[in-house]
Amino acid sequence: MTTTLAEPRTSDRNTPKTRLAPPRRRGWKRPFAGVTAVVLGGVVAAWAAGHDEERVPMLVTAEDIAAGDVITVSDIRIVPALGVEALDLAPAEKALGARAALPVPAGTVLTGAMLADTASWPGPGQAVVAVQTQPGMLPDSAREGAPLLVLGTGEGDPYTVRLHSLGEEGELAGSRVVELVVAEDEVPEVVEAVDDGVRLALMSAR
């Protein structure tokens, strides 16, 4: 019996042999990405935990408040905040009806030190003196709450006072009636100095 060998078909010869692809190497970025994800997850969790804390209501002035003014509902607004526990925040029940112990600009967080008891204005040992100023007597840059030095024409020492109110401008340009917070025992001297032609020097706040 004769055995016949079959010739391979042309199509079989041209078919390339299949090669197995080499195993893909794991990139070095994968472990790093895992660590980064863990770290970011911790940051997000900490942020979320912080925002879950109870917010503390604080009082913020809605407009400028002059020293000695009685604080009303229209003067303040309530803003919830985090991380303000260390501040001496003024509670609403204490702030409403109290007087400002010093000038408070709009947008300021009210604290206990900014309030004065209604019955203690002016403060102990203080007095408020109204002074008629003339042009050139008071610097134009002086604002309420500013410390002033009363410079008389005599040889006595100058007196340190605080500008409480600028009042209204008078008929003569540059003249106005201002209010000064003066030490109680210096009231007569300050009034006498003003009558003699005083100058009010603006001092730096300390």
Side-chain angles (χ1 to χ4, degrees), residues 177-191:
V177 176
V178 302
E179 292 183 353
L180 305 176
V181 179
V182 183
E184 199 173 54
D185 56 350
E186 295 178 349
V187 171
E189 289 81 359
V190 171
V191 172

Side-chain angles (χ1 to χ4, degrees), residues 17-184:
K17 295 182 181 181
T18 303
R19 295 183 179 180
L20 297 177
R24 298 179 64 181
R25 296 180 181 178
R26 288 191 172 185
W28 60 271
K29 294 183 179 180
R30 287 192 177 182
F32 180 77
V35 172
T36 304
V38 172
V39 173
L40 289 177
V43 172
V44 172
W47 180 89
H51 281 67
D52 285 340
E53 295 179 2
E54 184 178 356
R55 294 178 181 269
V56 177
M58 63 182 185
L59 303 182
V60 179
T61 54
E63 55 187 24
D64 294 345
I65 301 176
D69 283 357
V70 177
I71 299 174
T72 64
V73 175
S74 61
D75 295 325
I76 58 176
R77 55 191 176 91
I78 299 177
V79 177
L82 291 171
V84 294
E85 292 78 6
L87 298 179
D88 178 25
L89 297 177
E93 60 272 15
K94 182 179 179 181
L96 291 176
R99 291 184 182 271
L102 67 165
V104 185
T108 303
V109 178
L110 272 181
T111 62
M114 299 176 184
L115 304 180
D117 185 41
T118 304
S120 63
W121 179 260
Q126 296 179 334
V128 177
V129 177
V131 174
Q132 173 71 50
T133 65
Q134 302 301 323
M137 180 176 170
L138 177 70
D140 291 337
S141 56
R143 295 294 179 266
E144 294 178 351
L148 301 174
L149 205 61
V150 179
L151 302 172
T153 57
E155 298 180 355
D157 294 333
Y159 303 98
T160 302
V161 300
R162 187 170 293 276
L163 181 59
H164 170 57
S165 173
L166 282 170
E168 298 293 334
E169 190 171 353
E171 296 181 0
L172 182 62
S175 67
R176 61 175 62 237
V177 176
V178 302
E179 292 183 353
L180 305 176
V181 179
V182 183
E184 199 173 54

